[in-house]
Amino acid sequence: MSIAATQKRGFGAFLWDYLTTVDHKKIAHLYLVGGGFFFLLGGIEALFIRIQLIKPENDFISAGLYNEMITMHGTTMIFLAAMPLFLGLMNAIMPLQIGARDVAFPFLNSLGFWLFMFGGILLNCSWFLGGAPDAGWTSYAPLSIQSPGHGVDFYTIGLQIAGAGTLIGGINFLVTIVTMRAPGMTYMRMPLFTWTTFVTSVLILFAFPALTVGLFLLMFDRMFDSAFFDVALGGNTVIWQHLFWIFGHPEVYILILPAFGLFSDIFSTFSKKRLFGYTAMVFATILIAFLGFMVWAHHMFTVGLGPVANSIFAIATMAIAVPTGIKIFNWLATMWGGSISINSAMLWALGFIPSFTIGGMTGVMLASAVADYQYHDTYFVVAHFHYVIVGGSVFGILAGIHYWYPKMFGRILHEGMGKAAFWIFLIGFNLTFFIQHFLGLMGMPRRYWVFLEDQGLDTGNFISTIGAFLMGVAVIILLINIIYTAVKGEKAPADPWDGRTLEWAIPSPPPFYNFKQTPLTRGLDPLWIEKTEGKGKMTPAEPLGDIHMPDGSILPFIMSLGFFVAGFGFIYQVDHNAWLLAVFAGIGTALICMLIRSLKDYHGYHIKKEDLEREAD
């Protein structure tokens, strides 16, 4: 059922359609709405932090609430905003780029989203139920074990549920890319965004289990009196750091590699040139992922691992600059001599290069174990981290939204508002974070609730807060742009940017079956090849025939709701045994859903060839 047809049936049917959908494009919409909501929530928490630090010895919020704010800001932005927004873009575009009609496991795709959503909601319920987690987004032991109340319990359970959804999504993308590429779409003909989706999914597959194990151990320490991280009982707090950063450092690349991929597509499209050094870009992506996985201990230079371990991890960390540099030079070479169009998507891509380069350079500075002893836990690290994550991932998400919005929603975002949002955000971003490098070098520690007068930190913090508000203004302009576009936006043709890859070969928004006939891929940039040969559309790889589509299902929603209810039971069963009923009810609901899914045959349905022919008329 097409989106337009669903909307005509009223809001109830529209809502039911989205609750039961297994269509990767609608699940992409859900990820974008869910991730966008948490992005706004994380942004509001950031503004609370910056208001508290706008002047010395401020008492805008209490020290306890400040700890909750910094914990929830980091956790929300990493787990519930940046990653889901990329999963939304991957869901929307990757299957189209490889010429597939769907993902490999549509049911699991839906389950992955609802697990993420209910995990995020559970985590944020902590605000209303006695207090949010307050041990930092890393939840280092023993602080996280000793944190009173249930805040950290919400962290452990909420992230486990949401993380399971992400892991499911990553596996689904891997299988989709391996098994569902259109005829002729070899690995070395895949667009860079699909390549980075593939490599990111591999990272998810190997990184998330480490986090899951760590969260389980932390949960057992807090709820069942085990002693994995309790030194007094023979535990070891450093194990938590290893487990967290074995996940945490690849997570940085889980957030940045998809951005690298979509920037590659954008630079190539708006420069009217084939991506320079395609093969080198692919192998640089793989090398970055491999090295990114191997350097987790550079977050632990000051723990006391010893000079040999510190040296190995320092050298490996610095080595990542090499493939990253290859990418930056190749993007510049792609634009060199090209016929460049500057629009909102291209502006975000261009703004990314200097921003991320600054983040990379300060990353090399931090990779020096000796220097890291000086920078560690100062605002220098905060500035570096945000130049990488905001200057890389957030710029990437916003570039991707502007670039693919016409394909996803059939309308083009207003260019004037798009450019205004970019420039205000760029100025605000640099005002906020560039000065924090110097605050850090001057000795301002991170995570502190207040700073004192007459230490030379007043002006820098004031400017930083003004910059944060400018970023907030830019986000509001983007929201207005989306609403305006929905009401009065220009309708998008199939190929508004004169694109090169397969997603631009079908109407905007795509029909729910994606491709009427699977396209034949004859090289890199397959649509561009057809255009240059005067055809203007893809050559079909198969005759027109019936198309098989999967059934929708409410089971992923109910199953995730079951885990949500069980999560409350696990958190509160330490207070009263009656909460075990919630554990049994929630887990029982999820198991019944699994049983139904296992025993009932889901045959899907077919779109008849005759109906497809009528649509063509």
Side-chain angles (χ1 to χ4, degrees), residues 139-283:
S139 268
Y140 280 160
L143 184 61
S144 54
I145 298 172
Q146 295 167 356
S147 173
H150 286 299
V152 175
D153 300 327
F154 278 99
Y155 174 95
T156 58
I157 303 289
L159 288 191
Q160 283 184 70
I161 295 173
T166 305
L167 187 58
I168 287 172
I171 293 170
N172 202 0
F173 288 147
L174 271 181
V175 179
T176 302
I177 294 171
V178 170
T179 64
M180 298 182 69
R181 285 170 287 122
M185 178 64 78
T186 62
Y187 283 106
M188 294 311 286
R189 290 178 178 175
M190 294 195 309
L192 251 292
F193 182 67
T194 297
W195 254 114
T196 52
T197 299
F198 182 78
V199 175
T200 301
S201 300
V202 173
L203 284 178
I204 288 173
L205 183 63
F206 286 102
F208 267 73
L211 176 68
T212 304
V213 169
L215 289 172
F216 262 110
L217 300 184
L218 184 58
M219 182 182 83
F220 271 71
D221 271 12
R222 285 186 59 88
M223 297 182 188
F224 305 113
D225 297 327
S226 61
F228 295 106
F229 306 123
D230 189 340
V231 176
L233 297 175
N236 188 337
T237 56
V238 178
I239 292 175
W240 167 261
Q241 292 196 35
H242 278 296
L243 286 171
F244 185 86
W245 288 116
I246 286 173
F247 149 79
H249 197 71
E251 171 69 10
V252 174
Y253 296 92
I254 290 169
L255 296 180
I256 196 62
L257 287 179
F260 284 177
L262 68 88
F263 285 132
S264 300
D265 289 0
I266 287 174
F267 285 131
S268 176
T269 299
F270 293 118
S271 301
K272 293 283 184 293
K273 280 180 66 184
R274 178 175 167 163
L275 182 68
F276 184 87
Y278 170 83
T279 306
M281 293 291 261
V282 170
F283 284 101

Side-chain angles (χ1 to χ4, degrees), residues 337-572:
S339 176
I340 299 175
S341 305
I342 303 291
N343 56 19
S344 303
M346 189 65 168
L347 278 176
W348 285 109
L350 290 170
F352 148 81
I353 291 181
S355 304
F356 187 79
T357 303
I358 292 172
M361 289 165 59
T362 51
V364 173
M365 293 170 69
L366 285 162
S368 168
V370 178
D372 187 73
Y373 274 75
Q374 176 67 28
Y375 307 137
H376 194 79
D377 273 345
T378 71
Y379 258 76
F380 187 88
V381 178
V382 178
H384 155 72
F385 184 77
H386 283 86
Y387 263 89
V388 171
I389 299 299
V390 180
S393 302
V394 175
F395 277 40
I397 290 165
L398 294 172
I401 287 174
H402 283 80
Y403 181 54
W404 283 314
Y405 197 90
K407 183 53 60 186
M408 289 188 282
F409 299 102
R411 291 179 184 270
I412 299 175
L413 286 170
H414 189 272
E415 269 300 309
M417 280 191 272
K419 289 176 179 174
F422 166 77
W423 286 112
I424 294 172
F425 193 95
L426 185 74
I427 294 168
F429 164 67
N430 283 289
L431 284 179
T432 305
F433 297 111
F434 192 75
I435 205 160
Q436 289 182 4
H437 291 110
F438 302 99
L439 289 172
L441 293 175
M442 291 161 68
M444 180 170 167
R446 64 193 293 199
R447 304 190 181 104
Y448 274 33
W449 170 49
V450 293
F451 58 94
L452 302 177
E453 284 186 282
D454 301 326
Q455 292 184 319
L457 306 174
D458 306 20
T459 307
N461 274 295
F462 179 77
I463 293 172
S464 186
T465 300
I466 298 301
F469 273 92
L470 283 178
M471 293 165 73
V473 170
V475 173
I476 291 170
I477 293 173
L478 174 64
L479 290 175
I480 293 171
N481 194 358
I482 290 171
I483 295 168
Y484 173 85
T485 303
V487 178
K488 290 189 174 180
E490 176 190 349
K491 288 192 177 176
D495 184 15
W497 313 129
D498 197 13
R500 309 172 73 86
T501 43
L502 285 179
E503 73 267 32
W504 306 111
I506 55 176
S508 304
F512 62 102
Y513 47 80
N514 292 354
F515 294 89
K516 194 172 291 181
Q517 292 168 277
T518 304
L520 178 67
T521 305
R522 298 195 294 136
L524 184 64
D525 295 343
L527 181 60
W528 191 256
I529 291 174
E530 304 297 339
K531 287 179 185 176
T532 53
E533 295 185 1
K535 295 179 182 173
K537 62 179 183 180
M538 295 304 299
T539 303
E542 60 181 7
L544 188 63
D546 295 351
I547 297 176
H548 179 256
M549 298 298 293
D551 287 321
S553 175
I554 192 66
L555 290 181
F557 179 86
I558 297 175
M559 202 182 299
S560 304
L561 183 62
F563 286 118
F564 176 77
V565 172
F568 275 105
F570 274 114
I571 291 167
Y572 287 106

